[in-house]
Amino acid sequence: MWSLRTTSLLSLLVSAIPTVFADTCSELSATTDIQVASPVTPSYTDEQLEYWSSTCSALKPSCIIFPNTAAEVAAVLRILSTNNERFAVKSGGHSPNNYFASVDGGPLISTQNLDHVILDPATGIVDIGPGNRLDGLAKKLQGTGWTFVGGRIGNTGVGGLILGGGLSYMSAQYGWSASSVIEYEIVLANGTITTASSSHNPDLFVALKGGGNNFGVVTNYKCQAHPQGDVYGGNLIFLRSPETDRKILKAVRDFTEYNTDDRAAVIVTAERTNVNLVDSWILFLFYDGPVVPPGTFDNFTSIGPITNTLRVQTYAELMAGSNWVVLKGFVVQIGTETIPLPSAANFEEVLLDGIHAHWRNVSGSTLLVPGIVASIAYQPFPKRIALAAKQRGEDLIDADGDADRMIIEMNYAFLLQSDYELMEGKMMETYGGFRERVLRWQAEGKLQETFLPVFMNYGFYRQDYWGRLKPEKRALAQEVAESVDPQGMFRTRTGGWKP
């Protein structure tokens, strides 16, 4: 009997050993000098507040790890590879999808200390750490004569932007943000530090351009920067009316088709909220240079904005001046749809009476939700963006240059986390209605049949990102993921879309 009880006790002790070692936070604290913040420390609290959505902040990691080098990231992943903890990796925290860059009960790897920006002023080749945000990156490059092909909101993190592709004001000139990457430094699931470029690990190089967080932790982006001086940009604000809807939607449709100046870019957004019954249009205009050729933006300025902040400024000032769109303390949901550009003849049926009317109907049904801010952004995706991306190499998005398109982003922000399920239904109703209409119009011959991917940077977690890519690109991503992470650590233990 004593022998049986002793054996049982020993079995219990042995079975407990994996549980002890499964605690990545404790093991890192005990065996390394890597900074590990517990839930009672200020650095933990501060980092948890750096999310665009309060639902991500509400998820509580067991600790937050702040590596300073690729070697320290490798040490973290080697420990994670010995256990089964869920984890997340965070750049800027701008993905509002829960678990994409946030985690509950497992370790969070914050890249904020990997914020290096090392520029070769002669060639414009720049090494960029994933801990940078676009406003900080633009500030570090200010005065060098070079710039990074980044997004449009300064608070956006570099890591999530590039791994999702990255749509930029400069995309018609240079393609996606990822199109300017020359080489990735990446730490694989087993702790191996390697690189991916067109000549070394070329399949991984392609998979990282639009493949998200499925292959490892990128610790450095070596990019080709591009010449940059002062720019012209700012906002036009309009009070909403049915006639303004028609004029602005026609203007952005026409701009997408007819603009031939790759330095010019626009984002056209409609906003409505139950605070003071605001119902307006806010337009973002950009020109890559201080002098705008006459007529470039006349279709927009001639409509008669009530506010015009357009001016010559530095790119760093433009980036810093965009952060007002980030609503701190709100729950945020973002979704997207890609549509073929309607012809001038049927733009009213498609854009005005179809897409925009559907958004107004659904968003109008949310106006009793506390703190609601509903918005929709119409973003030109002309052929030139697809062609510019292809000229700079292969990527997973692989958009064809056979059609002009629009990328539509829809955003619901609200105060109470208890309204998440309700608003999730509204988000799905919004983008689902767009998709149903596009497919019907294509069947009726009113819209061009063309490839319409879901743009990762704006995707809602329920959208089928991989199913909307070309099958051969999804197959490539699956092969690469299985090759670099055969145990599936990044595919099964952290959030995001999985190939």
Side-chain angles (χ1 to χ4, degrees):
M1 188 66 160
W2 179 87
S3 177
L4 287 174
R5 292 183 62 183
T6 303
T7 302
S8 299
L9 179 60
L10 286 172
S11 299
L12 271 173
L13 289 172
V14 170
S15 67
I17 290 175
T19 304
V20 173
F21 283 100
D23 184 352
T24 302
C25 304
S26 298
E27 187 166 351
L28 281 170
S29 296
T31 62
T32 75
D33 294 326
I34 299 171
Q35 181 186 353
V36 179
S38 69
V40 297
T41 59
S43 56
Y44 179 104
T45 302
D46 291 345
E47 184 69 8
Q48 278 300 98
L49 293 175
E50 291 296 327
Y51 283 106
W52 281 22
S53 178
S54 63
T55 56
C56 296
S57 295
L59 299 174
K60 299 304 181 184
S62 52
C63 69
I64 303 180
I65 305 162
F66 296 92
N68 292 298
T69 64
E72 291 191 349
V73 173
V76 175
L77 293 187
R78 279 194 293 269
I79 292 175
L80 276 170
S81 69
T82 67
N83 61 49
N84 61 0
E85 286 184 300
R86 292 195 63 82
F87 67 98
V89 184
K90 178 184 178 186
S91 174
H94 65 274
S95 172
N97 291 312
N98 294 335
Y99 306 106
F100 278 40
S102 52
V103 64
D104 197 29
L108 173 68
I109 304 170
S110 168
T111 63
Q112 71 162 246
N113 291 344
L114 297 168
D115 62 349
H116 56 274
V117 178
I118 305 169
L119 174 71
D120 181 340
T123 63
I125 294 176
V126 58
D127 289 287
I128 302 169
N132 286 285
R133 295 172 190 264
L134 295 182
D135 50 6
L137 174 56
K139 186 175 181 179
K140 291 173 183 177
L141 291 176
Q142 181 58 39
T144 66
W146 299 95
T147 196
F148 167 69
V149 181
R152 283 74 54 86
I153 306 302
N155 192 255
T156 302
V158 165
L161 176 81
I162 297 179
L163 293 177
L167 183 61
S168 171
Y169 284 131
M170 293 172 277
S171 283
Q173 297 180 77
Y174 308 119
W176 311 114
S177 298
S179 303
S180 290
V181 178
I182 300 170
E183 180 184 86
Y184 298 86
E185 178 185 72
I186 183 170
V187 185
L188 304 181
N190 64 3
T192 299
I193 302 172
T194 189
T195 60
S197 66
S198 59
S199 59
H200 185 253
N201 293 321
D203 287 346
L204 176 59
F205 183 59
V206 173
L208 287 167
K209 297 181 179 184
N213 64 346
N214 288 293
F215 312 103
V217 179
V218 177
T219 49
N220 185 68
Y221 300 87
K222 185 182 291 293
C223 300
Q224 178 62 63
H226 300 281
Q228 180 72 67
D230 285 347
V231 301
Y232 179 83
N235 300 112
L236 302 177
I237 301 177
F238 303 82
L239 293 178
R240 185 266 165 181
S241 71
E243 182 62 14
T244 302
D245 291 350
R246 188 188 68 79
K247 288 180 178 179
I248 289 178
L249 289 170
K250 184 176 188 304
V252 69
R253 193 223 74 85
D254 291 350
F255 181 90
T256 304
E257 182 175 12
Y258 296 125
N259 175 61
T260 59
D261 190 338
D262 291 342
R263 291 177 173 267
V266 300
I267 307 173
V268 171
T269 71
E271 312 264 347
R272 61 193 311 196
T273 174
N274 56 20
V275 180
N276 298 323
L277 300 179
V278 170
D279 201 350
S280 63
W281 288 89
I282 304 175
L283 277 55
F284 298 75
L285 274 60
F286 172 85
Y287 192 81
D288 189 8
V291 180
V292 183
T296 301
F297 297 125
D298 283 1
N299 282 3
F300 302 102
T301 56
S302 64
I303 299 173
I306 60 170
T307 301
N308 183 338
T309 67
L310 297 173
R311 64 184 178 91
V312 176
Q313 55 188 308
T314 67
Y315 189 67
E317 289 172 330
L318 183 77
M319 285 289 99
S322 64
N323 285 332
W324 59 268
V325 305
V326 181
L327 301 174
K328 289 291 187 180
F330 278 67
V331 181
V332 178
Q333 295 176 351
I334 299 176
T336 188
E337 191 51 71
T338 307
I339 70 169
L341 187 72
S343 68
N346 66 11
F347 110 88
E348 288 198 10
E349 178 181 356
V350 172
L351 277 186
L352 184 62
D353 300 331
I355 298 294
H356 198 66
H358 174 66
W359 172 76
R360 288 197 63 82
N361 286 338
V362 179
S363 62
S365 70
T366 72
L367 292 179
L368 294 180
V369 173
I372 187 69
V373 179
S375 68
I376 185 169
Y378 298 91
Q379 305 187 56
F381 183 4
K383 300 173 185 177
R384 181 63 190 132
I385 292 179
L387 293 172
K390 284 183 178 295
Q391 288 170 2
R392 287 164 177 80
E394 189 179 357
D395 57 57
L396 287 188
I397 302 169
D398 198 22
D400 304 309
D402 65 338
D404 294 318
R405 305 170 179 84
M406 281 186 172
I407 294 175
I408 298 177
E409 175 193 355
M410 58 224 77
N411 185 311
Y412 290 114
F414 47 98
L415 286 173
L416 303 179
Q417 294 183 27
S418 57
D419 285 324
Y420 192 94
E421 186 175 347
L422 167 68
M423 293 307 302
E424 178 174 340
K426 297 297 182 182
M427 173 60 76
M428 296 170 65
E429 182 181 355
T430 306
Y431 67 69
F434 294 165
R435 181 66 172 164
E436 290 169 7
R437 285 165 171 79
V438 167
L439 293 174
R440 184 178 74 242
W441 288 321
Q442 287 180 318
E444 294 171 351
K446 295 175 181 176
L447 286 180
Q448 181 176 342
E449 293 278 357
T450 188
F451 173 56
L452 299 172
V454 168
F455 188 56
M456 178 180 279
N457 294 126
Y458 301 151
F460 191 55
Y461 80 100
R462 285 187 173 274
Q463 294 189 271
D464 186 8
Y465 173 76
W466 292 102
R468 293 278 293 276
L469 290 185
K470 295 177 181 177
E472 62 270 24
K473 294 302 183 183
R474 182 175 189 175
L476 172 66
Q478 289 172 332
E479 291 171 6
V480 171
E482 291 168 2
S483 173
V484 300
D485 181 15
Q487 302 305 313
M489 189 166 84
F490 282 89
R491 299 192 300 282
T492 61
R493 291 168 53 190
T494 192
W497 292 282
K498 304 305 170 186

